[in-house]
Amino acid sequence: MLNSDDLRFFCVLAGQPSLAQTARTLNVTPSSITQRLQAIEDKLKLKLLNRQGRTTTLTDEGQLLAERARLILADMDELQESLHDRKNELVGRLRILAPLGFGNEYVAELAAQFQAQHRNVSVELVLSDSPNRQTPEAWDIVIHIGALPDSSMLQTVLAKNRRFLCAAPDYVARCGRPANIADLRHHACISLQENAEDVTMWRLQAPGADAYASIRIRPRLTSNDGRVVKQWALKGHGIMMRSEWDVAQELRSGTLVRILPDHALPGADIVALLGSAQRQRSARTMRFLDLLRQSLGARPWAAREI
């Protein structure tokens, strides 16, 4: 007979691309992951996972177990929370998915602060710039920045966030500033590959224009890591497009300068996505959402206008 620990373990395993990644996520050895999976398969007398080189995929039975396990665990958490609500306590596990850079800078500390205030809540924070939103029921809150892909999750705006084109003063001294949108074709551009967006299509609205104009850039450098993109720009390798939350400090200090500052770029609001099912909007989820609104709504990265 499977127990709740088995179900929680398998839900983590089902969300990872390999047994090695599961081991890193749970901070245990790969051999212990293999042994625990084997024990669960022995209990059920079913094969739950296919191994293809270093990657793994769920069998049909494994997929069914993962889907039902998430529902069962959510029901258990909801029951436990309902019982503790009578004592006005928050309990259970809060699962958060956030972008790597923003999550590290702003969400991680809030998550730790929330857990310190509510000792009966455990917090699982996963940071990724290539998140898997195919199983929204796996998360209580998903934090997203920028254009929102089709999603069944409910959306709440946490903070407004602008995007800027910027470069290092050293790059401007060597290569000059573009005078208009078309001039960007003659400059070294740096792009960030994230959220399956078209990173080579930049949109800007000139002063007095009624609509955005699009330009297809040919990036000299591209990375899926925002920190790498930012370092490239700081070292004078080209012009990048970045969110205000990430470059506000550098723009104020002068280590980065805005390019085409009189042109507007589409905003990239910071939003929280919640599960559409009522069970995914527990008291702990809504209380953490309140903390996010309070802390991020003030846009702490923009102490002064840039």
Side-chain angles (χ1 to χ4, degrees), residues 57 78 107 169 186 198:
T57 58
E78 184 179 10
V107 182
H186 309 298
D198 185 352

Side-chain angles (χ1 to χ4, degrees), residues 46-263:
L46 290 170
K47 185 177 181 180
L48 302 174
L49 209 67
N50 290 318
R51 302 188 192 185
Q52 300 168 329
R54 295 183 179 181
T55 62
T56 58
T57 58
L58 297 177
T59 64
D60 289 345
E61 293 76 15
Q63 186 67 42
L64 176 62
L65 176 60
E67 292 172 356
R68 294 296 295 274
R70 292 185 185 104
L71 296 175
I72 291 169
L73 292 172
D75 281 337
M76 292 177 64
D77 287 345
E78 184 179 10
L79 173 60
Q80 184 179 12
E81 184 165 328
S82 295
L83 293 173
H84 280 78
D85 276 349
R86 299 189 178 198
K87 298 189 297 182
N88 196 30
E89 292 182 8
L90 295 183
V91 299
R93 186 164 59 120
L94 179 66
R95 297 157 299 180
I96 309 162
L97 176 65
L100 184 60
F102 186 82
N104 191 20
E105 186 73 21
Y106 291 103
V107 182
E109 180 56 34
L110 293 177
Q113 177 184 331
F114 185 80
Q115 199 286 320
Q117 293 171 348
H118 306 286
R119 293 295 185 179
N120 292 321
V121 173
S122 62
V123 177
E124 176 187 349
L125 173 63
V126 173
L127 303 180
S128 174
D129 284 331
S130 300
N132 178 10
R133 300 189 186 86
Q134 300 305 311
T135 55
E137 67 276 5
W139 310 101
D140 296 301
I141 293 183
V142 176
I143 297 173
H144 177 82
I145 301 176
L148 185 65
D150 292 340
S151 174
S152 62
M153 304 183 80
L154 301 180
Q155 176 181 348
T156 299
V157 176
L158 299 174
K160 292 293 184 181
N161 175 55
R162 295 178 292 173
R163 278 178 172 160
F164 302 135
L165 295 185
C166 45
D170 175 63
Y171 175 84
V172 173
R174 287 185 291 109
C175 304
R177 292 175 180 264
N180 51 52
I181 297 172
D183 278 355
L184 288 170
R185 291 194 179 94
H186 309 298
H187 281 265
C189 293
I190 305 171
S191 65
L192 173 65
Q193 180 73 62
E194 62 179 351
N195 297 331
E197 293 181 3
D198 185 352
V199 297
T200 65
M201 184 65 75
W202 286 2
R203 298 172 60 225
L204 298 93
Q205 186 173 12
D210 296 329
Y212 288 97
S214 298
I215 182 171
R216 179 74 67 180
I217 63 165
R218 296 180 182 177
R220 302 277 184 88
L221 294 166
T222 301
S223 175
N224 66 337
D225 190 327
R227 294 167 298 183
V228 171
V229 167
K230 185 175 174 180
Q231 284 303 310
W232 281 339
L234 285 168
K235 291 179 179 180
H237 293 304
I239 299 171
M240 68 172 178
M241 179 191 299
R242 288 301 286 149
S243 285
E244 179 180 7
W245 72 263
D246 192 31
V247 296
Q249 180 177 343
E250 287 77 13
L251 290 173
R252 283 194 289 268
S253 68
T255 54
L256 289 174
V257 295
R258 288 183 62 182
I259 302 298
L260 296 175
D262 56 347
H263 287 59

Side-chain angles (χ1 to χ4, degrees), residues 270-283:
I270 299 162
V271 302
L273 306 176
L274 307 179
S276 57
Q278 183 63 40
R279 75 180 68 196
Q280 292 175 272
R281 300 195 296 277
S282 63

Side-chain angles (χ1 to χ4, degrees), residues 278-293:
Q278 183 63 40
R279 75 180 68 196
Q280 292 175 272
R281 300 195 296 277
S282 63
R284 63 182 174 275
T285 299
M286 301 312 293
R287 195 76 65 83
F288 186 68
L289 179 62
D290 288 340
L291 178 61
L292 288 173
R293 285 190 184 120

